[in-house]
Amino acid sequence: GSMPISTTLAEEGIVIPPTKLVKRGRVCQATMETLCGDSSDHKIRGDFAAQISANSIGVERLGELAEARGIQHFVEGLVELNNYGERLALAELESIPDGDYRFSDLMDDDGAGNSDIPIQVTLRVEGNRIEIDFSGTADQVPGNINCPLSVTAAAVYYAFRCLLPEQAPACEGTFRHLKITAAEGSLVNARYPAAVAAGNVETSSRMVDAVLGALAQALPDRIPAAAHGGMNNIAMGSAAKGGRPRWDYYETIGGGMGAHARGEGLSALQTHMTNTLNTPIESLESHYPLRISRYQVRRDSGGAGVYRGGDGIIREFQFLSEATVTLLTERRRHRPWGLHGGGNGAAGENLLNGKPVAGKTCLQVRAGDVLTIKTPGGGGYGAGG
C-alpha cells in the first residue's frame, strides 16, 4: 500500500517525474517497461491500459463538445463556469464576519520519535477575501506526516467548499478569493525529499480540523465538532514462502463524525479527506489469509453533549499466517475536540493480542495473532446531554 514507516520519499514507492506514457497516440513502450518491469502480473498493465483508455475517451469527447459548440463558445463557457463558482463562493465568504480567527491542533507523532506536533492556522477575513495562514505550524519532521503544499490546498479548499451549495463547481473560480500562506520547509509545505505518505492520509485530516476549528469561531452554528481525525491506515502482507503466494493488502477504517447544532454526529463512517469505503468481509477472507473476528460500532466513543458525537469502529483481524503489518493512525493521544461545551470523542486504540501498540508502527505477526483497531469517536456539541 506504499504506507511504510518512512523517513524519505524514496522509501514510499516509485517516484514518477512528469513522463509521457502516450505520445502522438502511441504507448511509449520503454516507459511502460520502466513502470511495470518484467512483472508477470497483468493487472498492472491492465490498470495502465484502463487509465489510458479513460483519458483517450475524455479527450475525444471534449474535442467533440468543443467542435459542436464552437471554440469561442466553448472557451466562453469555461470562463462563465469559473465566474459562476466565484459568485457562489462570494455569497458565502461575505457572510463570514471580518476578523482574525486562530486555532491550533496537534498531531500525535511522526512515527520517528517526535510527538505533539502543532498545526496552527489563522484565518484573516477582510471583506470577501480570506487568508489561511499556517504560521506557527511545526517545521517538517523526519517521519512521514509531512505534506506537499498541494495536499494542504486540498484540505483548505475542502473545508471551505463544505460551506457552499452542493452545485458549487470544483474549479479555480470557486477558490479565487482564498489565499494560503505556508512557510516552505514547514509540516504543511515540506521540501523534497521529505517523507509524505501519512501527510496525505492523516495530516490532511488534522488541517481540516484546524481550519474548521477557526471557522467555528466565526460561524458558531454552522461548523461541527471534530470528527475522528484520520483514516486509520492498515497495510499488511507477506513475501512468497514455503509454497505460499505473496500477498499484500491495504485498507482504511472509518470512525465517528462530530456533532453539530442540528443533531448528533454519524457513526462508523469515513469523514472529510477520504473517499475510501470498507472492504466486505466475505471478499477479504476469500482472498487473504485473514479472518475478521469482530467488526462493530464502538459504542459510547462519541463525545457527550446536547448532541453526542458519532461512535467509532472496532475491527479485529486474526492472522492465519505470518505477516508484516504497518499502522499509520492518529488521534491515539489527542482526542477529537467537542464544541460549545461538548465533550471530546474517545481516543483510538491499537492492540496486538490485547496489548497496546503505537499509533504508527511496523509489526511482525504470526498465525493466530489478533490485531484490534478501535477508532476514535467524534466530538460532542453543546454542554449537557
Side-chain angles (χ1 to χ4, degrees), residues 9 12 16 30 105 171 175 214 240-241 296 303 347 366:
L9 185 65
E12 297 177 345
I16 306 172
D105 211 329
C171 61
F175 309 113
K241 185 178 180 181
Q296 66 188 70
R366 298 175 295 182

Side-chain angles (χ1 to χ4, degrees), residues 59-208:
V59 168
E60 180 181 324
R61 291 180 178 172
L62 191 63
E64 291 171 356
L65 176 63
E67 185 175 356
R69 304 284 289 180
I71 292 299
Q72 182 176 350
H73 194 179
F74 176 73
V75 172
E76 289 173 351
L78 294 179
V79 172
E80 178 51 33
L81 177 67
N82 280 278
N83 290 341
Y84 171 66
E86 182 180 22
R87 290 194 298 272
L88 290 177
L90 285 176
E92 295 297 331
L93 297 182
E94 289 174 349
S95 71
I96 302 174
D98 284 2
D100 288 3
Y101 306 98
R102 294 182 178 85
F103 195 87
S104 183
D105 211 329
L106 296 169
M107 297 293 292
D108 288 346
D109 65 279
D110 71 341
N114 302 287
S115 59
D116 302 338
I117 301 161
I119 293 178
Q120 183 168 301
V121 65
T122 301
L123 303 184
R124 295 191 179 92
V125 182
E126 185 175 350
N128 58 21
R129 295 194 175 275
I130 299 179
E131 180 183 11
I132 303 92
D133 185 357
F134 285 94
S135 297
T137 295
D139 292 340
Q140 66 186 63
V141 292
N144 62 9
I145 65 170
N146 304 293
C147 285
L149 188 58
S150 56
V151 170
T152 299
V156 169
Y157 293 161
Y158 162 80
F160 278 92
R161 198 177 179 203
C162 287
L163 298 173
L164 306 184
E166 290 186 7
Q167 73 270 22
C171 61
E172 182 271 338
T174 301
F175 309 113
R176 193 171 284 161
H177 293 261
L178 302 178
K179 176 186 176 183
I180 298 172
T181 301
E184 186 178 355
S186 69
L187 187 74
V188 297
N189 186 8
R191 294 189 184 96
Y192 175 89
V196 295
N200 188 42
V201 294
E202 296 300 305
T203 312
S204 62
S205 292
R206 192 67 72 259
M207 281 190 281
V208 170

Side-chain angles (χ1 to χ4, degrees), residues 264 303-309 339-343 380-385:
E264 297 186 342
V306 173
Y307 296 113
R308 292 192 61 90
L339 269 181
H340 308 302
Y381 189 98

Side-chain angles (χ1 to χ4, degrees), residues 261-327:
R262 297 183 180 180
E264 297 186 342
L266 300 177
S267 296
L269 78 171
Q270 289 284 13
T271 59
H272 295 323
M273 291 301 291
T274 179
N275 61 358
T276 53
L277 300 176
N278 71 328
T279 301
I281 292 172
E282 296 83 357
S283 176
L284 181 65
E285 293 186 344
S286 65
H287 289 92
Y288 302 99
L290 298 167
R291 181 177 293 125
I292 302 299
S293 51
R294 190 158 49 135
Y295 190 31
Q296 66 188 70
V297 175
R298 187 187 179 195
R299 298 297 180 189
D300 299 321
S301 56
V306 173
Y307 296 113
R308 292 192 61 90
D311 289 327
I313 290 173
I314 300 176
R315 189 158 166 94
E316 193 166 83
F317 302 80
Q318 183 178 17
F319 295 91
L320 306 183
S321 68
E322 64 182 33
T324 301
V325 180
T326 301
L327 299 177

